[in-house]
Amino acid sequence: MTTYLGSGDETKRRTDYTPAWLGNLAEDATMEASVLNGIVEGAEAIRTILSFARTLYDFQDFNYVGAYGENGFVEDYSSIVHGRPIGSVVTVRFNDAGQAQHIVISHRPLGSVLLWSQLMGDHFAGTPYARFFLTTGAIEALASLGIQA
C-alpha cells in the first residue's frame, strides 16, 4: 500500500499527538520542509508555524515515532488535509543540551505538498511568515503549467 494513504485502521488515527520536542526547541533552532520556501530560523517562528500546521490534519496515523540514532528523533505518519492524503516524515536532531536544533519535514505527494503550502500561505498572508509559503499567484502559475495543488 502507498504509505501516504495510511494504514486504513481508524483505531490508529490520533488527534491528540503533541511532539515533546516542540516544547523543547533551541532558541536558534532551524526548520526545513518540502512545503517551505527557505529555512525557518528561531524557536518562536517554528512554534508559530507548526502550531497552525498541526490544525490542518484531520488525524495522524503513525507508522513510527521514536529515537533515531543517538541524538535524533523521527516521526513517520500519514493524514488527510482538506480531503487529500499526505504522508510525512519528520526528523529532529538534538543539540548537546538535548534541545531540538534542526527539524526537517518531508511531505508527499506533490499535489498535497502544494495544497499544504497554499493553505499555510493563505493563513500567514500579511505576516513575516508568509514568505515561506506559496502565494495564490504561484499556485495560479503552477496551474497554468498543468500542476495542480
Side-chain angles (χ1 to χ4, degrees), residues 15 20 26 54 61 81 83 95 121-122 127 130:
T15 58
R54 294 175 64 241
D61 183 344
V81 173
N95 63 20
D122 290 348
T127 75

Side-chain angles (χ1 to χ4, degrees), residues 55-76:
T55 70
L56 295 175
Y57 292 126
D58 287 357
F59 59 82
Q60 290 173 294
D61 183 344
F62 287 94
N63 296 309
Y64 180 80
V65 176
Y68 177 68
E70 291 185 29
N71 296 311
F73 188 81
V74 69
E75 301 168 356
D76 177 359

